[in-house]
Amino acid sequence: MTVNRRWVLKALGACALSACGNAPVRGPSVSGLSDDLRPQPNAAYDAWVQAFRQRALRRGVSQDTLARGFRGTGYLPGVVTRDRNQPETRRTLEDYLSIAVSDERVALGRAALRQNAALLARIEARYGVPASVVTAIWGLESFYGARRGDVPVVSATSTLAFDGRRGAFFEEQLTTALKILQAGEVSADRLRGSWAGAMGHTQFIPTSYTAFAVDFDGDGRRDVWSDDPTDALASAAAYLSRNGWRRGLSWGREGTSGGRVIQPQAGGPRFAVTANFAVIKRYNNSDSYAIGVGHLADRLAGGGPLRGGFPPDTYGLTKQDRIALQRGLTARGFDTGGADGVVGSKTRAAIAAYQRQAGLAPTGDPSLGLLAQVRG
């Protein structure tokens, strides 16, 4: 279960943090989906679905469920494109935290924590997971519910199962999604999520939903898709609790005392982490993710930024240098998508456009020389 969730979340992490998908989504509308995330004809996919239907029947999925589940769905080429074109290099911890614990995410998270204080207190009382930690997971997984995804889960998982790179895994997710539909947990039109099949406020893949989702509001359904985040937040806490969360123990802290010491980025801060850090990694098996959840939780509870700094990047630029570069480019009319110090695709495109205008080779790479030019 843990490895399976990691496979999906490794693919989704960058998109969830940087808002690289569609505009914030609520409800079942698909009007915001790009063309490549809408069904397109594919005879080989259709043949695969016909064969899958027979396997699904043998696994207990009814004809009626298959008909409802596949109605209006189909092959999504954009899902395959996204699955095959993940970044080959991982973000540094500094870049990851710049996005995961941005000022905006902290401010919105503190508001969400206040607005849902009574609910989160009840969840904490039952499962022992602090309200700030549950809210931090909510913030990283779906930007507090604003980016839950609007791709039909049956289309996404069947496309990925047909594509075959992780065919057995995604066929299991597809079969489980259909059984969720068959059990009446959600209607076919609301069975939506990310391009890789993760669903709801806390982005459960179908098998994680089946294993860990809870009906916290007592209405008879484990509804992680609703605008009401009750069941989703409780389900995230239940996930951590059932994977060994220790009540009253922190995730860790910046520093070298009080736990096992790790330093995810050379030259960057060290962290002393506890057994609960390992539990967060059961949600997503990444040190950066677990530090992101823990540090965001601390910030939501009133804590301050990290005290330790990070070394210059491979171009010799500090975070403040990168922010200054982004601001300089923006002032000259080149859109970097914001000044957060993270050199992503928009910043690289802005650099390349500036370089072309200046008669330079459009490498898209930042540099100290480029910084000096846009500051001048």
Side-chain angles (χ1 to χ4, degrees):
M1 184 72 66
T2 303
V3 174
N4 288 352
R5 179 174 169 80
R6 182 181 71 225
W7 286 349
V8 172
L9 290 175
K10 185 177 180 182
L12 294 175
C15 208
L17 288 181
S18 62
C20 58
N22 304 299
V25 172
R26 293 192 180 278
S29 169
V30 296
S31 59
L33 290 178
S34 59
D35 287 343
D36 67 349
L37 290 176
R38 298 175 184 274
Q40 296 186 18
N42 186 310
Y45 165 85
D46 294 340
W48 183 93
V49 169
Q50 289 305 313
F52 166 77
R53 286 174 181 266
Q54 299 307 310
R55 296 193 294 274
L57 288 169
R58 292 194 294 270
R59 296 166 184 160
V61 180
S62 70
Q63 287 279 17
D64 175 67
T65 299
L66 287 165
R68 288 187 292 124
F70 277 96
R71 185 176 297 121
T73 63
Y75 177 76
L76 307 180
V79 165
V80 176
T81 301
R82 287 160 176 76
D83 186 53
R84 291 181 178 174
N85 290 281
Q86 295 304 307
E88 292 300 322
T89 58
R90 299 176 64 182
R91 284 193 177 102
T92 63
L93 178 63
E94 182 180 30
D95 279 358
Y96 187 91
L97 294 180
S98 293
I99 300 169
V101 197
S102 66
D103 291 343
E104 180 185 19
R105 204 178 301 259
V106 170
L108 290 174
R110 287 175 176 171
L113 193 60
R114 290 192 301 270
Q115 292 163 5
N116 296 278
L119 166 64
L120 290 163
R122 294 197 305 273
I123 291 172
E124 183 171 348
R126 181 174 301 183
Y127 298 108
V129 182
S132 59
V133 171
V134 174
T135 305
I137 288 175
W138 188 20
L140 290 190
E141 295 294 340
S142 70
F143 213 78
Y144 310 106
R147 300 170 187 162
R148 283 170 266 163
D150 208 20
V151 179
V153 171
V154 170
S155 288
T157 54
S158 61
T159 296
L160 289 166
F162 159 72
D163 182 59
R165 192 165 74 87
R166 289 170 291 178
F169 169 69
F170 279 108
E171 182 164 329
E172 180 186 13
Q173 300 309 313
L174 170 59
T175 302
T176 304
L178 290 166
K179 289 184 176 179
I180 291 168
L181 175 62
Q182 185 165 284
E185 301 270 14
V186 65
S187 61
D189 65 314
R190 294 181 62 231
L191 185 58
R192 299 181 181 277
S194 72
W195 62 260
M199 308 176 298
H201 291 264
T202 49
Q203 292 292 281
F204 273 21
I205 58 174
T207 50
S208 291
Y209 173 92
T210 298
F212 298 108
V214 297
D215 173 21
F216 195 75
D217 62 11
D219 68 353
R221 293 183 300 118
R222 300 177 293 173
D223 190 354
V224 301
W225 302 271
S226 171
D227 286 350
D228 179 353
T230 296
D231 286 354
L233 298 182
S235 295
Y239 188 109
L240 296 180
S241 176
R242 290 181 58 187
N243 278 285
W245 185 270
R246 297 186 187 178
R247 188 185 293 263
L249 181 68
S250 74
W251 69 273
R253 58 185 294 274
E254 183 184 6
T256 58
S257 62
R260 178 174 63 89
V261 177
I262 62 173
Q263 187 182 33
Q265 182 176 341
R270 290 179 170 87
F271 301 88
V273 300
T274 72
N276 279 345
F277 179 83
V279 175
I280 296 172
K281 288 182 65 175
R282 296 294 297 270
Y283 209 96
N284 183 339
N285 191 23
S286 158
D287 283 349
S288 290
Y289 178 85
I291 291 171
V293 168
H295 182 45
L296 179 58
D298 290 346
R299 295 296 309 278
L300 300 186
L306 295 177
R307 300 183 305 278
F310 291 88
D313 62 20
T314 55
Y315 300 99
L317 300 171
T318 66
K319 180 177 178 178
Q320 291 307 311
D321 290 335
R322 296 190 296 272
I323 290 172
L325 175 61
Q326 289 170 323
R327 287 174 175 165
L329 289 166
T330 300
R332 286 161 175 74
F334 300 94
D335 182 16
T336 64
D340 58 4
V342 179
V343 180
S345 58
K346 290 200 73 171
T347 296
R348 288 187 176 278
I351 291 172
Y354 172 85
Q355 289 169 327
R356 278 191 292 271
Q357 186 180 86
L360 305 171
T363 64
D365 292 333
S367 68
L368 290 167
L370 182 65
L371 173 60
Q373 289 180 40
V374 300
R375 271 179 164 169

